[in-house]
Amino acid sequence: METLCPNEPFRFSAQTPSGSAAANASSEDLVHQTRREIQLLVREASDLVHSCRDAKAFWPAFLDRVQRATAANSVSLWQLNNDLPTELQRVGRPAVPESDTFSVRCHAHLVGEVAFRAEPVLVPPTSEATEPDEAANTTDSLAVLVPILVDGKSEAVLEVLMPTGGGLATQRGYLRFAAQMGDLAGEFLRTETLRQVRQDQQDWIRLGHNVAGLHRSLAFDDTAAAIVDVAAATFEIDRVSLLQRDGNHWNVVAISGVPDFDSHAPTVKALSGYVQHRRQTDEGAIWPVESIDEASDIIPVVGLLPLGPSSSLLLQSTGGPLSPAERKRWLAFADHATSAWNNTDRFESIPYASLQSQLFTAGGRVEGSRRTLIVAVLIAMLLSAVAMIPVPLIVSAEGKLEPVDKQIVYAPRDAMVSKVLVAHGDHVQPGDILAELIDPQLDQQIDDCLGQQNVLEQRDRELKALMISMAGKSSEERERIEGEFKVVQQKRDGIARQIRLLQTQRTGLTLRAAQAGQVIGWRIQQELADRPVRRSQQLLQVVDPDGRWVVRASVPQERIDHVLRAVDGSDKPVDAQVVFRSFPNQPINGNLQNVGLAALTAESEPATGMAEVAIETADLPIRQPGAIATVAIPCGQEALVYVAFQDLIRAVSEAIGVYL
């Protein structure tokens, strides 16, 4: 082994050292130095795994350490796809020239076969490959291929190309070292996956909180400004623009962070022209990364989303293309924005809304002429007639999805969780072990009782021996021994019962599934393992996803009488419509089962009525306990004025009832 400089990797050489003692000592020093260098590189690779670097920063540094430690020609990370694996990262010279598509394809087939077998292999160069779909090492190097496993599944492949030659022991050393590096890479992938899941969950939660701001107003300008401002704040993007089509021309309606803008400004015209050009060929969601106009707008476009047939949302960011997870959240946001935008359009199209706006623009003053008075009377009569039109009375309430067939697992006593054998989403069968608890105090009690039992058994044997040899003893002595024997027997029975009771309690510390189903408990491994728990503390749930589900909704007290009246006045179950917050465009039907007058909530919240809606399991778009939904309960028909102003009417009625 030799090196050119401290920063160069050590080279393995097949030459044997000279027989002199000085040469042997120098070789031994060089071997020790090489081992120290390799151990240092391995520690650096391990530190990289446990650092906070993301994948873009981790893989080049990790592959560099592997190459320097093995003196490899090149080290590559292969990404597994639905078709053929592709080389994602590489350190060193290319394994196969990219122009040689035949060799590249054969080599990719070799990587895919190693990933399928999920075992590290060492493949010498293949002299000749005859078919493009043949798995072959088409390089001139010895290929060490190690699948990177995550939970037993190949997620990527680490390839180390070594110079040919060397003995069998050297090649095995290459394979063992590469396998060790593959284990470290798998540990990083598991950590990175968990980090991405946590970040994705936080992003979805933030999106769920922010989309409520889209529906706070039905005014055209307010809704447009809310859409672009909420989008820019939620996704931390440079600019979001809302455009609306007018014939063949697209007009900019709102720009994030810009309350007022000049529609004739070059940047605004560039936005309109870009969307007009794009919408001539594509009406759906597109994700380009391109500049609109280098002179007027240098922020690249990263997305164009439709909000209905005549509106679009233009996304601009300097942060590069959007990831698949970001695109999915953008599409969900577009659904909410489309709903808010359509509600605004429907409101603006109501003739009465426009008429009311026109009548009261002058501060509510009416001209004193007879014509104006007649018009006002006619309008009042028209409004009165419209106010008495019967319309559906819908009571809406917020609820949560809950399974009917579920097992809630509680801690049977104060104990310590020693093992958690399941994870969130695992499927279990009746009798499967979910978790194991330990109670040192309980174990101590059992040990104490066993010790007392041994002492009593010893005394029992001694008394039996005395009773056998009682022929020459007095009656008082015999009675004393017999009495003590009975006391010992009673104590033994009591201790035995106590031991059985304590062992039953110890057996109860092994928590098992009482039914078949899916485990529900987010991060239960991290939250429960090696943690103390209190008696009756809820640990996790086992839910049957294919079982019965209901939505338990909290009905406001001022609306519960409508629901009760609808239930009493119908001979069949009252239908209800359920819309989940995660799937706003997929309403499903259910049946109202139970209605309660009042349910106590937190002290700071008012009491609410409870309504339980049964849903067909096959219709559910989501089967997650606690999923938030809006329940709409039809309660017959009432006059339009009552439906619109029922809170005011109730307040006036209550005041009249109190003071009269």
Side-chain angles (χ1 to χ4, degrees):
M1 217 170 348
E2 59 182 4
T3 183
L4 302 178
C5 68
N7 294 327
E8 287 289 327
F10 288 94
R11 306 288 180 179
F12 289 92
S13 174
Q15 298 178 358
T16 58
S18 62
S20 66
N24 289 336
S26 177
S27 298
E28 291 179 359
D29 293 340
L30 186 59
V31 168
H32 289 305
Q33 181 182 359
T34 303
R35 288 178 178 175
R36 286 194 300 269
E37 292 289 339
I38 294 177
Q39 289 174 357
L40 177 60
L41 291 171
V42 171
R43 284 196 298 270
E44 290 179 359
S46 178
D47 292 340
L48 286 173
V49 171
H50 299 92
S51 66
C52 298
R53 299 191 184 188
D54 57 6
K56 292 183 180 179
F58 169 78
W59 288 116
F62 179 78
L63 298 180
D64 176 69
R65 267 62 172 188
V66 176
Q67 185 195 30
R68 290 164 57 191
T70 58
N73 295 334
S74 70
V75 180
S76 303
L77 176 70
W78 288 78
Q79 183 180 21
L80 304 182
N81 304 317
N82 294 331
D83 185 15
L84 283 177
T86 56
E87 195 175 34
L88 184 62
Q89 295 279 349
R90 181 181 67 245
V91 175
R93 62 181 177 84
V96 180
E98 295 182 359
S99 59
D100 189 358
T101 57
F102 180 86
S103 299
V104 169
R105 187 173 181 86
C106 291
H107 200 77
H109 275 290
L110 174 63
V111 175
E113 184 175 338
V114 172
F116 175 76
R117 294 183 178 181
E119 293 181 357
V121 297
L122 191 147
V123 183
T126 303
S127 59
E128 183 178 359
T130 59
E131 298 294 334
D133 293 334
E134 179 182 353
N137 178 10
T138 55
T139 69
D140 57 357
S141 303
L142 186 67
V144 182
L145 298 168
V146 177
I148 301 176
L149 305 179
V150 176
D151 297 331
K153 180 182 177 182
S154 297
E155 296 293 341
V157 174
L158 178 66
E159 180 185 48
V160 182
L161 295 181
M162 303 297 302
T164 57
L168 182 60
T170 301
Q171 295 179 0
R172 288 178 177 174
Y174 292 154
L175 189 60
R176 285 195 300 269
F177 181 81
Q180 181 184 4
M181 294 298 101
D183 292 340
L184 290 176
E187 183 178 352
F188 170 77
L189 282 182
R190 283 190 291 272
T191 305
E192 179 69 9
T193 301
L194 180 58
R195 185 188 66 81
Q196 293 177 355
V197 168
R198 291 174 178 170
Q199 183 63 41
D200 190 58
Q201 181 190 21
Q202 294 175 357
D203 292 339
W204 278 106
I205 292 174
R206 181 173 60 179
L207 175 62
H209 288 320
N210 292 349
V211 293
L214 304 179
H215 305 274
R216 291 176 180 172
S217 175
L218 290 175
F220 181 86
D221 294 337
D222 293 343
T223 303
I227 289 175
V228 296
D229 290 340
V230 169
T234 300
F235 295 93
E236 297 179 355
I237 199 168
D238 295 328
R239 181 192 294 162
V240 181
S241 304
L242 177 62
L243 296 94
Q244 191 171 32
R245 180 164 52 191
D246 183 10
N248 294 327
H249 185 68
W250 286 82
N251 298 320
V252 178
V253 177
I255 302 176
S256 61
V258 183
D260 298 314
F261 57 88
D262 183 7
S263 59
H264 299 288
T267 299
V268 178
K269 287 185 176 181
L271 296 177
S272 301
Y274 174 81
V275 175
Q276 182 176 352
H277 171 71
R278 272 294 192 174
R279 284 311 185 202
Q280 290 177 351
T281 58
D282 197 337
E283 294 292 335
I286 57 177
W287 311 99
V289 180
E290 56 189 5
S291 297
I292 294 178
D293 188 346
E294 295 293 342
S296 60
D297 195 350
I298 61 175
I299 304 178
V301 174
V302 295
L304 185 61
L305 303 178
L307 300 185
S310 60
S311 301
S312 291
L313 207 61
L314 183 65
L315 318 178
Q316 294 176 268
S317 174
T318 56
L322 301 177
S323 66
E326 290 175 326
R327 295 179 182 180
K328 187 175 181 181
R329 288 193 296 274
W330 269 112
L331 292 176
F333 176 84
D335 291 339
H336 288 278
T338 302
S339 176
W341 194 241
N342 291 338
N343 291 339
T344 302
D345 283 343
R346 284 193 293 267
F347 177 78
E348 293 288 341
S349 64
I350 298 175
Y352 172 69
S354 301
L355 179 61
Q356 184 184 27
S357 175
Q358 295 173 4
L359 285 176
F360 295 99
T361 52
R365 294 189 300 272
V366 181
E367 296 293 337
S369 65
R370 182 177 298 179
R371 179 182 300 176
T372 305
L373 180 59
I374 293 174
V375 172
V377 171
L378 292 176
I379 291 176
M381 294 175 62
L382 177 62
L383 294 180
S384 300
V386 172
M388 299 308 296
I389 295 176
V391 295
L393 175 61
I394 306 295
V395 174
S396 62
E398 187 175 280
K400 293 183 179 180
L401 182 65
E402 296 292 341
V404 176
D405 304 321
K406 65 180 179 180
Q407 175 195 0
I408 302 178
V409 180
Y410 298 96
R413 59 185 292 127
D414 295 349
M416 176 76 70
V417 179
S418 62
K419 293 181 181 178
V420 179
L421 304 179
V422 293
H424 176 72
D426 288 352
H427 291 272
V428 296
Q429 297 296 326
D432 289 353
I433 298 178
L434 305 176
E436 294 181 357
L437 283 65
I438 58 174
D439 185 355
Q441 294 183 355
L442 180 62
D443 294 339
Q444 184 62 42
Q445 292 177 5
I446 294 176
D447 292 340
D448 293 343
C449 291
L450 290 175
Q452 295 178 23
Q453 188 180 46
N454 292 334
V455 172
L456 291 173
E457 288 178 353
Q458 179 64 30
R459 185 56 181 167
D460 181 77
R461 289 191 294 269
E462 294 175 355
L463 293 174
K464 286 181 179 179
L466 291 175
M467 292 173 65
I468 293 174
S469 60
M470 284 194 310
K473 295 184 179 180
S474 63
S475 58
E476 291 82 0
E477 183 68 14
R478 288 196 300 271
E479 290 177 357
R480 185 188 64 79
I481 294 175
E482 291 175 354
E484 185 179 355
F485 179 75
K486 292 179 180 180
V487 171
V488 170
Q489 289 291 328
Q490 292 175 354
K491 289 183 178 180
R492 283 185 58 192
D493 295 341
I495 289 295
R497 288 192 297 271
Q498 188 174 358
I499 291 174
R500 288 194 297 271
L501 178 61
L502 294 175
Q503 289 177 343
T504 301
Q505 294 178 1
R506 176 190 281 175
T507 304
L509 294 178
T510 300
L511 306 180
R512 299 178 180 272
Q515 66 175 43
Q518 187 176 15
V519 176
I520 301 297
W522 183 245
R523 299 183 72 246
I524 55 179
Q525 291 281 352
Q526 294 82 355
E527 297 293 337
L528 296 180
D530 300 325
R531 300 286 182 88
V533 294
R534 305 292 296 175
R535 180 172 182 170
S536 301
Q537 177 181 340
Q538 180 177 335
L539 305 181
L540 51 88
Q541 296 184 38
V542 178
V543 174
D544 184 5
D546 299 324
R548 298 171 296 167
W549 293 80
V550 295
V551 173
R552 294 187 173 91
S554 300
V555 183
Q557 286 292 300
E558 61 271 16
R559 301 288 188 272
I560 194 66
D561 58 333
H562 299 317
V563 179
L564 293 174
R565 190 163 52 248
V567 172
D568 295 338
S570 177
D571 297 333
K572 57 182 180 180
V574 177
D575 294 333
Q577 191 175 64
V578 179
V579 178
F580 288 94
R581 184 174 295 178
S582 303
F583 299 88
N585 296 327
Q586 298 184 25
I588 60 177
N589 297 322
N591 295 323
L592 194 63
Q593 285 189 335
N594 299 315
V595 179
L597 289 178
L600 296 178
T601 57
E603 294 182 358
S604 59
E605 299 177 0
T608 60
M610 297 301 296
E612 189 174 274
V613 180
I615 303 174
E616 292 292 336
T617 305
D619 297 338
L620 286 173
I622 183 174
R623 301 182 187 180
Q624 181 66 38
I628 299 177
T630 300
V631 178
I633 305 172
C635 300
Q637 291 187 336
E638 293 288 347
L640 176 60
V641 64
Y642 178 80
V643 174
F645 302 102
Q646 56 180 309
D647 291 333
L648 177 60
I649 295 173
R650 283 178 177 272
V652 173
S653 300
E654 291 176 2
I656 293 174
V658 171
Y659 294 104
L660 294 182

